[in-house]
Amino acid sequence: MNKKEKIIFTVGGSGFIGRHLITNLLENDYFVTNIDPISLNNNNPKYKHISLPVNDNFKSVKNIIPSGSVIYYLASSSVPGREKSFFNDYNDTVKPFIDFLEAVKLLTPRIIYLSSAGAIYGENNKPALESDI
């Protein structure tokens, strides 16, 4: 595996899943660039943070992510209860992802992975279990 194959980009990687994913990738000798308004304050020399709002139109992403990259898109999810306002849910979750895909489509990424964890777990008053409905 060459160095280019060991570079991963995460978009919105500062949340629960992203933190764990990034930690695992770094432990497995990957270089990770996390595009998120919130920094993980990770001092690993293989970690880079780029502060960019998740709901940005991602026009600048073409200058950040090189062609042929592996991208984990963790930036938005449809949390239960949001569907009560289709307009807000669309503007906060669906549209940013479509804008992102439009911005990166010419980069011919190798992989775009979309996490759906927020839609699975949603908001709970207690810790969620894998067996929860």
Side-chain angles (χ1 to χ4, degrees), residues 7-128:
I7 299 172
I8 306 291
F9 290 85
T10 59
V11 177
S14 296
F16 178 79
I17 291 174
R19 285 192 316 265
H20 292 284
L21 172 66
I22 289 170
T23 298
N24 185 276
L25 289 168
L26 293 171
E27 287 172 355
N28 285 284
D29 209 29
Y30 284 86
F31 294 82
V32 179
T33 298
N34 182 27
I35 303 166
D36 194 298
I38 300 168
S39 175
L40 293 178
N41 296 320
N42 191 313
N43 295 325
N44 189 314
K46 294 179 182 170
Y47 173 79
K48 179 179 178 183
H49 174 253
I50 297 174
S51 183
L52 185 69
V54 170
N55 62 353
D56 190 294
N57 61 15
F58 291 104
K59 299 278 188 232
S60 58
V61 83
K62 293 180 252 185
N63 299 323
I64 298 169
I65 301 176
S67 190
S69 296
V70 174
I71 304 165
Y72 285 84
Y73 188 89
L74 307 157
S76 60
S77 58
S78 186
V79 177
R82 290 294 307 214
E83 70 278 359
K84 293 175 186 169
S85 173
F86 174 79
F87 181 76
N88 287 341
D89 193 33
Y90 173 81
N91 282 331
D92 294 344
T93 61
V94 177
K95 180 135 180 28
F97 183 60
I98 292 170
D99 290 345
F100 175 77
L101 290 176
E102 287 292 327
V104 299
K105 71 181 176 184
L106 298 177
L107 300 177
T108 58
R110 283 189 302 156
I111 298 171
I112 295 179
Y113 174 81
L114 173 63
S115 172
S116 64
I120 295 170
Y121 297 107
E123 296 177 18
N124 289 321
N125 294 329
K126 61 181 178 121

